[in-house]
Amino acid sequence: MPVSSPHDVPVSLLTPGAPPASGDLAEQAVTLQLLRTYDRPGPRYTSYPTAVEFHDGFGPDAYARHLAAAARHTDAPLSLYLHLPFCESRCAFCGCSVIVTKKRHVAAQYLTYLAREIGMVAQALGRRRRVVQYHWGGGTPSYLSPEQMRDLHAEVLRHFTIDPDAEVALEVDPRVTSVAQLETLRALGFNRLSLGVQDFDDEVQRAVNRVQGVEETGALVAHARALGFASVNVDLIYGLPRQTVESFARTIDTVVALRPDRVAAYSFAHVPWIRAHQKLLKVEELPSADRKLQLFAEARTRFLAAGYRAIGMDHFALPDDDLARAADAGTLHRNFMGYTTRPAPDVIGFGVSAIGDVAGAFAQNTKKLSTYYQAIDAGRAPVERGYALDADDQLRRHVISQLMCNLRLDTQATAGRFAIDFEAYFARELSELAEGPVADGFLEIEPGALRVTTRGRLFVRNICMIFDRHLREKRAATPVFSRTI
């Protein structure tokens, strides 16, 4: 999962997830003014409805019912996410659910319980065991020893069958990932690595408590390629303390020289009221809103010049990468693990804080180790909250997902799929779109389709906000998309 922010934290338009339309200075000036005009916090839409709607009325019994429903689709593929929360130290920018400890026995105990949860859920899924996307996230999955990696993967294979062409990925920290770990992972069948970099500038690294050298990162990338990993991803964050356009440009050039297949450039979400450790960051060292736009514009310009394609909101990929091909074909998908080319109707989350997406419902595990252990000892799923989607949620989820991933919605096909009159059902939304995004050049309404423009990439989350029923209900007093100045 992205390391820059927790799920669905409201993010201002001035912490954008996509770049200006071009490197043209006049266009950037227009876009910046529009950003100021339309600045409004909104979700990132890693899910719809967002995690803000999750509630504790959805618990283990509800999850069991949805697992039973999913089990009936025997031949449908699955996505698996395993959350490995442990880190040796805490990065000051981190927005993930992590446990910082050097006590290795804590992780050993956790893996025992994780194996038990995997077995419980697999039993509930019956004969449905085929996996097309399999991801270890964290935390730092490379916190585990090679032996622990082998044992955990063997436990997964005891219960599930991973397709030969499945995406088998994990997140690694180059500072703590060894050659032996990489060799073990490749031997187990992992084929994609996501490397946390964030920024290579010394001043920025000291400010966020993550000192990481270029040489060690480059060596890890080179070794991964030598071992045959099919795809290497690098994660960057813009908006960190002490970042300047010049320093971030140097980081981009260094990353381009490493030639990763994919790059994710996330906007830093400063949420110290949610992540208390972010209070260690000096607010006066954070870039201004205008500077953040310049940082991302610089990154986009340099990645495009180096031959990368802009993908979705905040990713770049080489033209022959699966993400770029899926974007060309309009088949890009997105879940809690990020953009994917291996969609599955159900995502199963394992481990503390993990979120599943099962048979029309989201289910999130408890974030506390003690509660997690107690639930498994009692023979029940460690789910503490979730949300079951109704028919309207399913429709709006499709609309938002298509716009977020493929920047286009086939309204005619959507009407047929959900048996609605699109223009009548979304009359209010279409009126707001015309008054705002269409008038300002973010969106084009074509016969049978909505299409996000190049400029509109920067505002795609806010276009989607217009279709968010739950957000509308919370903001009943004002339009979802309104000018603030």
Side-chain angles (χ1 to χ4, degrees), residues 172-188:
V172 299
D173 181 344
R175 300 174 302 167
V176 299
T177 303
S178 68
V179 169
Q181 287 172 315
L182 274 191
E183 292 172 345
T184 298
L185 291 164
R186 186 69 193 103
L188 294 176

Side-chain angles (χ1 to χ4, degrees), residues 7-241:
H7 293 302
D8 298 315
V9 168
V11 179
S12 166
L13 272 172
L14 289 174
T15 56
S22 72
D24 179 74
L25 292 178
E27 174 62 17
Q28 287 192 29
V30 171
T31 303
L32 181 56
Q33 182 55 45
L34 287 169
L35 280 168
R36 293 172 179 141
T37 300
Y38 283 102
D39 185 22
R40 186 163 209 160
R44 293 177 183 273
Y45 291 116
T46 52
S47 70
Y48 181 83
T50 68
V52 174
E53 306 304 327
F54 294 4
H55 57 85
D56 58 12
F58 186 105
D61 292 341
Y63 185 46
R65 291 193 296 272
H66 283 268
L67 284 173
R72 292 195 285 270
H73 303 282
T74 307
D75 297 328
L78 292 166
S79 292
L80 302 185
Y81 173 76
L82 277 63
H83 191 67
L84 303 167
F86 302 102
C87 292
E88 290 190 356
S89 62
R90 189 187 297 277
C91 302
F93 58 81
C94 182
C96 297
S97 180
V98 303
I99 297 170
V100 179
T101 180
K102 296 183 182 295
K103 299 176 181 178
R104 298 290 166 168
H105 68 275
V106 177
Q109 181 184 23
Y110 177 76
L111 292 174
T112 300
Y113 278 87
L114 184 60
R116 291 170 62 183
E117 185 193 3
I118 291 169
M120 288 167 53
V121 172
Q123 184 177 11
L125 286 169
R127 292 185 295 114
R128 186 174 174 191
R129 303 296 177 91
R130 184 167 71 91
V131 176
V132 295
Q133 184 188 26
Y134 171 46
H135 188 98
W136 290 4
T140 307
S142 49
Y143 182 96
L144 304 183
S145 68
E147 182 180 5
Q148 288 174 324
M149 291 175 172
R150 286 190 290 268
D151 290 346
L152 176 57
H153 187 66
E155 195 63 36
V156 172
L157 293 182
R158 279 186 57 200
H159 302 286
F160 295 96
T161 301
I162 299 175
D163 268 14
D165 63 344
E167 180 183 271
V168 185
L170 84 161
E171 301 161 13
V172 299
D173 181 344
R175 300 174 302 167
V176 299
T177 303
S178 68
V179 169
Q181 287 172 315
L182 274 191
E183 292 172 345
T184 298
L185 291 164
R186 186 69 193 103
L188 294 176
F190 282 81
N191 53 34
R192 188 168 74 83
L193 290 181
S194 182
L195 280 68
V197 169
Q198 324 322 335
D199 196 305
F200 277 127
D201 183 78
D202 292 341
E203 286 293 312
V204 176
Q205 289 185 355
R206 283 194 289 271
V208 300
N209 191 36
R210 185 187 176 97
V211 177
Q212 176 178 327
V214 174
E215 289 187 6
E216 61 184 330
T217 305
L220 192 69
V221 171
H223 199 71
R225 295 202 181 284
L227 289 172
F229 280 89
S231 182
V232 176
N233 178 89
V234 166
D235 289 342
L236 300 174
I237 298 178
Y238 65 96
L240 294 175

Side-chain angles (χ1 to χ4, degrees), residues 107-421:
Q109 181 184 23
Y110 177 76
L111 292 174
T112 300
Y113 278 87
L114 184 60
R116 291 170 62 183
E117 185 193 3
I118 291 169
M120 288 167 53
V121 172
Q123 184 177 11
L125 286 169
R127 292 185 295 114
R128 186 174 174 191
R129 303 296 177 91
R130 184 167 71 91
V131 176
V132 295
Q133 184 188 26
Y134 171 46
H135 188 98
W136 290 4
T140 307
S142 49
Y143 182 96
L144 304 183
S145 68
E147 182 180 5
Q148 288 174 324
M149 291 175 172
R150 286 190 290 268
D151 290 346
L152 176 57
H153 187 66
E155 195 63 36
V156 172
L157 293 182
R158 279 186 57 200
H159 302 286
F160 295 96
T161 301
I162 299 175
D163 268 14
D165 63 344
E167 180 183 271
V168 185
L170 84 161
E171 301 161 13
V172 299
D173 181 344
R175 300 174 302 167
V176 299
T177 303
S178 68
V179 169
Q181 287 172 315
L182 274 191
E183 292 172 345
T184 298
L185 291 164
R186 186 69 193 103
L188 294 176
F190 282 81
N191 53 34
R192 188 168 74 83
L193 290 181
S194 182
L195 280 68
V197 169
Q198 324 322 335
D199 196 305
F200 277 127
D201 183 78
D202 292 341
E203 286 293 312
V204 176
Q205 289 185 355
R206 283 194 289 271
V208 300
N209 191 36
R210 185 187 176 97
V211 177
Q212 176 178 327
V214 174
E215 289 187 6
E216 61 184 330
T217 305
L220 192 69
V221 171
H223 199 71
R225 295 202 181 284
L227 289 172
F229 280 89
S231 182
V232 176
N233 178 89
V234 166
D235 289 342
L236 300 174
I237 298 178
Y238 65 96
L240 294 175
R242 304 181 190 174
Q243 277 182 333
T244 66
V245 173
E246 294 75 19
S247 70
F248 201 50
R250 290 192 294 271
T251 287
I252 301 303
D253 289 345
T254 301
V255 171
V256 166
L258 295 176
R259 209 61 179 171
D261 302 275
R262 306 175 186 178
V263 179
Y266 298 116
S267 171
F268 174 55
H270 187 229
V271 287
W273 58 92
I274 297 175
R275 302 297 182 187
H277 60 273
Q278 289 188 358
K279 294 177 182 177
L280 297 173
L281 301 176
K282 296 180 179 179
V283 176
E284 65 272 17
E285 293 184 343
L286 294 172
S288 66
D290 287 5
R291 178 61 55 81
K292 287 189 73 172
L293 177 62
Q294 294 168 0
L295 289 169
F296 203 17
E298 188 70 23
R300 182 179 188 272
T301 297
R302 289 175 182 270
F303 281 125
L304 294 183
Y308 286 83
R309 293 274 310 282
I311 306 295
M313 288 186 357
D314 44 25
H315 282 57
F316 302 90
L318 293 174
D320 59 351
D321 187 84
D322 284 351
L323 275 187
R325 293 195 181 106
D328 288 340
T331 59
L332 199 61
H333 294 265
R334 195 163 182 252
N335 57 30
F336 286 109
M337 292 169 274
Y339 289 108
T340 179
T341 62
R342 306 288 197 279
D346 297 297
V347 177
I348 309 298
F350 295 110
V352 290
S353 80
I355 301 175
D357 179 359
V358 183
F362 297 115
Q364 183 169 25
N365 283 351
T366 177
K367 297 178 182 179
K368 291 184 63 176
L369 278 183
S370 59
T371 309
Y372 178 75
Y373 295 159
Q374 289 168 8
I376 293 174
D377 282 338
R380 65 176 185 272
V383 171
E384 71 173 11
R385 65 179 195 143
Y387 182 91
L389 283 71
D390 60 23
D392 180 76
D393 290 326
Q394 297 277 8
L395 167 59
R396 293 174 186 274
R397 173 182 181 171
H398 172 77
V399 169
I400 289 172
S401 176
Q402 287 298 305
L403 291 171
M404 292 289 289
C405 291
N406 299 305
L407 305 173
R408 185 180 184 277
L409 174 71
D410 186 326
T411 56
Q412 186 174 355
T414 300
R417 175 175 175 175
F418 292 93
I420 62 165
D421 180 325

